[in-house]
Amino acid sequence: MLVDLRPTERLRKDNGAAVASVLGSIMHAVGDESLDLDHLRIVCDWVQYKNSFREAVEIRPILNGSAHEQLEIGVDLRRTASTQYDVNAEMSRALARRDESDRHHLEPWGRTTASLIWSFNSLYWKALGLWEAVSGRPYEQALPGGESDARNAAAARDTITRLFAIWDGLAERRALPDQLHVLEIGVGNGSQARVWLDTFVEIDREAGRDYYRRLHYLMGDYSPHLLDVARAQVRHHEDHTSTIVLDATKPSNTLGFLKYKTFFVYISNVYDNLPTDEIARIDGHLFQVETRAYLAAAPAAAIAASINATAGELPDLIARLLRLGPELLAETEPRRFADAHAAVRFWAAVWEAIGLEERYVALPPLDEYEFAPGINGEVLRPLMEAHGDVRMHVSNGAAASFVDTLPLLHPHGILECHDIFVTNLEGYANAFRGPGKYEGSVVNWVNGNVLAALGGRRGFDVAFRKFAFRTGSNITTMTAEVRE
Ligand SMILES: C[S@@+](CC[C@H](N)C(=O)[O-])C[C@H]1O[C@@H](n2cnc3c(N)ncnc32)[C@H](O)[C@@H]1O
């Protein structure tokens, strides 16, 4: 039996006694059950997100194709270490569920990138106005630190100064095009664009270059609602900005006209919001983490009762919510939802209750694992082979977005990304990296190793440094530039 205690930082704090007591309870529960200890793993994470898709105790079958099915018991130390928590009872319930589940499953097992949690995520951004009206909380308040580092003026100044140096060099060689294109993907409420453009104007005045006259700042997002909000933020720059609806995972589909022309691509807190799978190496074998979304019996009953439905009707209502959005759902189901706000309350209750069951399934050979369009899993091999057993995110959506954005860059252009990155695979062993829920959206740390490998193969230098403009920030700045 293997016991893996992941949250090393947390264990160093004052939690030692509580964690010891959780471990004692686990050993007790395991002893009572007829579990094959030879095939048992216990993995303890400290799930820092107030809301996530995990129960405090999870059972994860490891389907290795042999008669001896292994089992992983996942424990969230943060919740189980609290004094009111009865770990024994929770373990027994989780183990009993293996034989008879009382959960309402909302989808079949599959890769997490295919899960409906991503439809919830995109609904959140597209119907954010309604969500915020009902919750009373703007999305930025839900970010760690209460605001986005994207609107940090010192960070903007740093980048713009670098851009000016590049443009000065090109101008000297008479190689500077007339139009200076900048692209932001995933603009949120447009605060970053406003700070960036205001700072640009200041620096341009100070430097007397007249670059602002030639600047064109394009804001891309898949949420028309947010593009409207962002456009309003930068109204005073309206001659130099435009907005475009695009899918961040395939920017080239919409932005082909910018190929090799964009001097600066900015993307902040978006990669952590794009779909991702997880893969794992267990005892030297590779596995895909498969998931399926469910509602536990008690919240399903309460939610169903609140709209005069049965729990059995929920999967269909949820599918319609995701397809139609809250406004149309309320129109088509007036008996259940008095108005769009009532449909949003239903949505929020479902979202809060949604969990993801997990199991490990043997991964196909890496060269057959397509983790983003046109990219097979070969790029993962060095990562999976060099580090022993590991469970990590593949960052499929971020990888697709990154690879499809690079061709838009001018040969002297820079892609800059602010996000939560794991840049060293050790990072997966010492903390929980998602998925978590922020308001109605999904968050996962981004596997920087994958992006660095993909960029490197395409002739780009990919560098990571700690975000330098706010102390205590866990944001990393990633840059990609054509290798000299
Ligand atoms: C967490 S917000 C970040 C906003 C802003 N960049 C910031 O740092 O505050 C994520 C943004 O990415 C957008 N987004 C998420 N997935 C996307 C996708 N697949 N295509 C386009 N935009 C997407 C959302 O609509 C939202 O504007």
Side-chain angles (χ1 to χ4, degrees):
M1 182 169 108
L2 173 137
V3 180
D4 185 356
L5 280 177
R6 292 231 170 104
T8 47
E9 277 309 312
R10 295 295 181 160
L11 295 181
R12 273 197 211 107
K13 298 192 175 145
D14 298 333
N15 299 312
V19 169
S21 133
V22 171
L23 289 178
S25 298
I26 293 172
M27 294 317 295
H28 181 76
V30 162
D32 276 357
E33 288 290 325
S34 53
L35 287 172
D36 177 355
L37 297 189
D38 282 347
H39 295 95
L40 190 62
R41 298 159 48 84
I42 297 179
V43 177
C44 301
D45 283 295
W46 188 283
V47 178
Q48 70 273 32
Y49 297 102
K50 200 166 95 232
N51 296 313
S52 76
F53 301 91
R54 289 192 174 189
E55 294 284 347
V57 177
E58 299 271 3
I59 304 292
R60 306 179 191 124
I62 304 173
L63 307 180
N64 56 9
S66 86
H68 288 291
E69 180 183 293
Q70 284 176 283
L71 211 56
E72 181 173 288
I73 300 183
V75 178
D76 171 12
L77 287 177
R78 183 176 65 84
R79 276 181 285 174
T80 51
S82 82
T83 44
Q84 317 86 357
Y85 211 86
D86 184 347
V87 182
N88 258 316
E90 195 52 43
M91 286 280 276
S92 310
R93 265 199 294 277
L95 288 166
R97 216 178 279 125
R98 279 189 307 158
D99 303 321
E100 202 168 333
S101 175
D102 57 355
R103 291 173 165 175
H104 298 270
H105 294 111
L106 303 176
E107 61 189 357
W109 286 109
R111 293 162 63 154
T112 312
T113 41
S115 170
L116 53 66
I117 63 168
W118 301 107
S119 306
F120 273 95
N121 187 67
S122 80
L123 180 63
Y124 173 69
W125 296 115
K126 290 174 185 166
L128 186 66
L130 275 172
W131 178 287
E132 289 183 338
V134 172
S135 74
R137 280 185 306 275
Y139 83 83
E140 263 198 79
Q141 266 180 23
L143 295 176
E147 71 169 49
S148 169
D149 281 319
R151 50 151 99 178
N152 185 302
R157 183 162 270 276
D158 187 63
T159 323
I160 296 165
T161 309
R162 283 182 66 202
L163 265 184
F164 272 42
I166 293 169
W167 289 342
D168 288 352
L170 287 171
E172 249 172 51
R173 306 201 300 273
R174 297 187 184 285
L176 189 65
D178 189 45
Q179 288 260 313
L180 303 174
H181 292 286
V182 166
L183 165 68
E184 180 177 359
I185 300 177
V187 293
N189 59 13
S191 300
Q192 125 73 22
R194 194 194 61 229
V195 169
W196 202 91
L197 286 159
D198 290 352
T199 309
F200 191 99
V201 169
E202 269 172 41
I203 297 178
D204 197 35
R205 271 201 208 111
E206 286 159 19
R209 292 289 191 281
D210 203 22
Y211 288 145
Y212 181 65
R213 190 181 49 78
R214 299 157 74 173
L215 182 72
H216 194 84
Y217 193 106
L218 187 56
M219 301 187 285
D221 205 287
Y222 68 177
S223 163
H225 163 74
L226 279 173
L227 288 174
D228 284 347
V229 176
R231 197 177 303 117
Q233 282 275 4
V234 295
R235 195 168 293 125
H236 53 302
H237 295 286
E238 71 180 346
D239 292 343
H240 299 270
T241 49
S242 47
T243 54
I244 188 162
V245 174
L246 56 75
D247 181 348
T249 62
K250 328 175 180 148
S252 284
N253 278 8
T254 349
L255 300 174
F257 61 95
L258 284 182
K259 199 167 184 190
Y260 306 135
K261 288 190 183 149
T262 318
F263 277 103
F264 183 55
V265 177
Y266 184 68
I267 178 155
S268 125
N269 300 319
V270 178
Y271 285 169
D272 66 4
N273 190 234
L274 296 177
T276 179
D277 288 337
E278 286 180 81
I279 57 175
R281 181 172 147 150
I282 300 173
D283 296 336
H285 300 287
L286 297 189
F287 292 91
Q288 168 101 57
V289 179
E290 283 195 342
T291 51
R292 61 175 171 176
Y294 70 90
L295 294 174
I303 293 168
S306 74
I307 54 163
N308 288 322
T310 62
E313 288 172 298
L314 289 179
D316 175 57
L317 283 165
I318 292 168
R320 284 165 58 206
L321 165 73
L322 295 175
R323 210 172 49 246
L324 303 174
E327 272 163 327
L328 277 179
L329 180 66
E331 271 177 37
T332 55
E333 286 286 340
R335 283 185 311 111
R336 299 194 196 286
F337 306 105
D339 55 20
H341 283 198
V344 173
R345 284 192 290 277
F346 166 70
W347 165 19
V350 169
W351 181 242
E352 188 180 342
I354 274 187
L356 283 179
E357 276 178 9
E358 296 178 338
R359 67 180 188 185
Y360 297 95
V361 177
L363 191 71
L366 280 174
D367 57 357
E368 287 172 25
Y369 169 68
E370 187 179 76
F371 78 78
I375 310 172
N376 75 34
E378 266 307 312
V379 72
L380 300 169
R381 191 180 298 283
L383 296 175
M384 297 308 276
E385 285 178 353
H387 288 84
D389 280 5
V390 65
R391 172 172 163 163
M392 67 177 195
H393 292 95
V394 180
S395 298
N396 312 59
S401 179
F402 180 61
V403 163
D404 200 47
T405 306
L406 292 177
L408 303 179
L409 281 177
H410 183 278
H412 291 273
I414 306 170
L415 179 148
E416 184 176 280
C417 173
H418 285 136
D419 221 319
I420 40 177
F421 281 101
V422 179
T423 51
N424 172 340
L425 286 200
E426 283 303 306
Y428 284 108
N430 61 24
F432 177 69
R433 303 297 178 177
K437 297 177 190 169
Y438 277 162
E439 288 290 303
S441 72
V442 182
V443 62
N444 283 288
W445 288 60
V446 183
N447 193 331
N449 304 272
V450 169
L451 300 195
L454 290 169
R457 287 179 178 204
R458 285 160 180 75
F460 284 79
D461 276 333
V462 180
F464 298 90
R465 59 181 199 282
K466 233 179 118 37
F467 182 70
F469 304 95
R470 179 163 69 91
T471 45
S473 167
N474 56 15
I475 293 289
T476 295
T477 304
M478 181 190 84
T479 49
E481 291 169 76
V482 174
R483 196 177 295 135
E484 294 275 311

